[in-house]
Amino acid sequence: MQTNTLFSSLSFNLPIEAVLSGLAEGTVHRGQSGIAVRCGHRHYLAGEDPAFEAAYCAEFLVGLGSSMFVLCGEEALLQRLAQGPLAERYPLLDWRGYYALDTADAPPPQPLLAGYALVPVDAALLARQELAGLDDLREEMVSERVSVADFLARSFGLALLHGDELVGWCLSEYNTATRCEVGIGVAEGHRRQGLATCMARTFGQLARQRGIEHIGWHCWRSNQASANTALAAGYQSVCAYPVLFGYGDNTLNLAVNGNMCLRRGEAEAAVSWFGRAFAAGNPVWALLPATRACLRSGDAEQARVYLQRALDSGAVDGKTLADDPELADLL
């Protein structure tokens, strides 16, 4: 079984190469004619081996709790998992976009807004205990490294400062000899000002200085803000690819299915999924979308029931409700 051949259609997912070559933490599982590479909550599967796929799914679901899982592979394989070993988990099929930058073509950095600064992510930054937000950065640094020290030794990145607060980061992920992927985030309250684009452009230049020739950017296809940032930073759209995702908690899976149907405009299907979710548990966050689903499907009475529960639980307050033209007159 040739591993590289099996994963040829997924080769743009750098965690596969990083794990197989020992450059990132992960595990490799092999069957007679199938293979799986696990990297955190992401699982990359290839081949056609139903027995292996079923055994692998049963293994990774043990102890999952309410955590998320994301499976990447050919669409036919994902459909096979959704209808077979994962059917009772009600996983969802969605699409992610992949964008790529050749650093030789990286656009020049843009000037930052006044009051902001970009600094390297290094030991000196982490020693600045007066900075708010350092713990969030450290958590992000170990999202694919075994420790902060491991990140500092094998990865690199930039932090966005606003006074004594760390409000953003742009970090390399799954570094190989000449490739990496990028993870980027900006804190609430500092978004929609072009700061992510500034970071991403500066990161492209930094990556080139470090010998990186190719950077990959992944985001959900529905995340237009992330896609726009990638394009503004010089990345090119390469492809969209299917993923199967879900959670260890089936109540959460049912509610997320309802939310996905609501986003697609399928109100009646959303009502059914939300009803099953609330029969199984109490996903308070889903009360407001369930209200919208009922209202859009013509069931104002049930919409009022969900909305009152949302108010009683604190999931929504009166001011938010008064400012919402769809729901303001419901109660």
Side-chain angles (χ1 to χ4, degrees):
M1 180 173 61
Q2 295 295 317
T3 298
N4 291 341
T5 301
L6 287 175
F7 278 124
S8 59
S9 65
L10 299 176
S11 60
F12 57 90
N13 287 282
L14 197 51
I16 297 171
E17 179 183 340
V19 170
L20 289 173
S21 59
L23 296 172
E25 281 293 301
T27 55
V28 182
H29 305 255
R30 291 182 170 86
Q32 289 294 322
S33 55
I35 187 170
V37 170
R38 180 174 186 172
C39 192
H41 69 282
R42 282 173 286 191
H43 308 256
Y44 302 89
L45 289 93
E48 188 170 354
D49 190 338
F52 165 72
E53 293 159 8
Y56 180 75
C57 288
E59 179 180 341
F60 84 72
L61 288 172
V62 173
L64 190 62
S66 60
S67 299
M68 184 182 192
F69 61 83
V70 177
L71 304 176
C72 303
E74 296 284 354
E75 188 171 3
L77 186 156
L78 299 182
Q79 293 283 10
R80 192 161 65 242
L81 297 179
Q83 296 164 14
L86 294 176
E88 294 183 358
R89 297 285 176 161
Y90 312 107
L92 299 98
L93 185 70
D94 204 350
W95 292 79
R96 288 176 65 80
Y98 174 67
Y99 300 80
L101 175 69
D102 290 329
T103 58
D105 302 323
Q110 295 174 312
L112 275 172
L113 293 175
Y116 291 90
L118 277 176
V119 299
V121 174
D122 55 18
L125 174 69
L126 298 178
R128 294 180 58 181
Q129 297 301 317
E130 81 281 4
L131 287 177
L134 273 180
D135 287 343
D136 293 334
L137 175 62
R138 290 191 184 96
E139 183 177 346
E140 187 66 20
M141 292 168 71
V142 298
S143 62
E144 58 92 15
R145 291 297 186 197
V146 295
S147 66
V148 169
D150 186 39
F151 178 95
L152 294 176
R154 299 202 285 175
S155 298
F156 61 91
L158 297 165
L160 179 67
L161 305 184
H162 185 252
D164 288 336
E165 185 179 7
L166 195 154
V167 297
W169 55 75
C170 193
L171 307 178
S172 73
E173 299 178 341
Y174 309 108
N175 298 51
T176 62
T178 60
R179 296 175 62 195
C180 74
E181 292 183 355
V182 62
I184 189 168
V186 177
E188 196 73 53
H190 299 268
R191 298 173 184 169
R192 300 179 183 86
Q193 302 181 76
L195 295 168
T197 300
C198 288
M199 279 199 296
R201 286 195 170 202
T202 303
F203 179 86
Q205 297 291 332
L206 177 62
R208 185 181 183 187
Q209 294 167 13
R210 287 176 164 264
I212 297 295
E213 299 173 359
H214 184 93
I215 309 173
W217 180 302
H218 299 259
C219 64
W220 295 100
R221 190 166 65 175
S222 59
N223 189 349
Q224 195 58 52
S226 181
N228 288 343
T229 299
L231 294 172
Y235 288 71
Q236 302 296 312
S237 177
V238 177
C239 66
Y241 61 97
V243 296
L244 194 68
F245 75 96
Y247 302 84
D249 181 347
N250 259 4
T251 298
L252 184 55
N253 286 328
L254 292 165
V256 172
N257 270 280
N259 214 34
M260 290 286 286
C261 287
L262 183 63
R263 283 170 46 189
R264 293 195 298 260
E266 302 166 3
E268 291 186 3
V271 168
S272 175
W273 283 109
F274 284 129
R276 294 170 67 184
F278 287 113
N282 186 33
V284 173
W285 67 267
L287 287 166
L288 205 55
T291 301
R292 297 187 194 280
C294 289
L295 194 59
R296 294 173 192 177
S297 68
D299 190 348
E301 182 177 352
Q302 183 59 47
R304 291 189 184 94
V305 171
Y306 281 136
L307 185 56
Q308 188 60 60
R309 287 175 60 184
L311 287 165
D312 293 343
S313 66
V316 65
D317 57 39
K319 182 181 185 308
T320 301
L321 183 60
D323 293 338
D324 191 315
E326 184 176 30
L327 304 177
D329 298 327
L330 191 56
L331 288 180

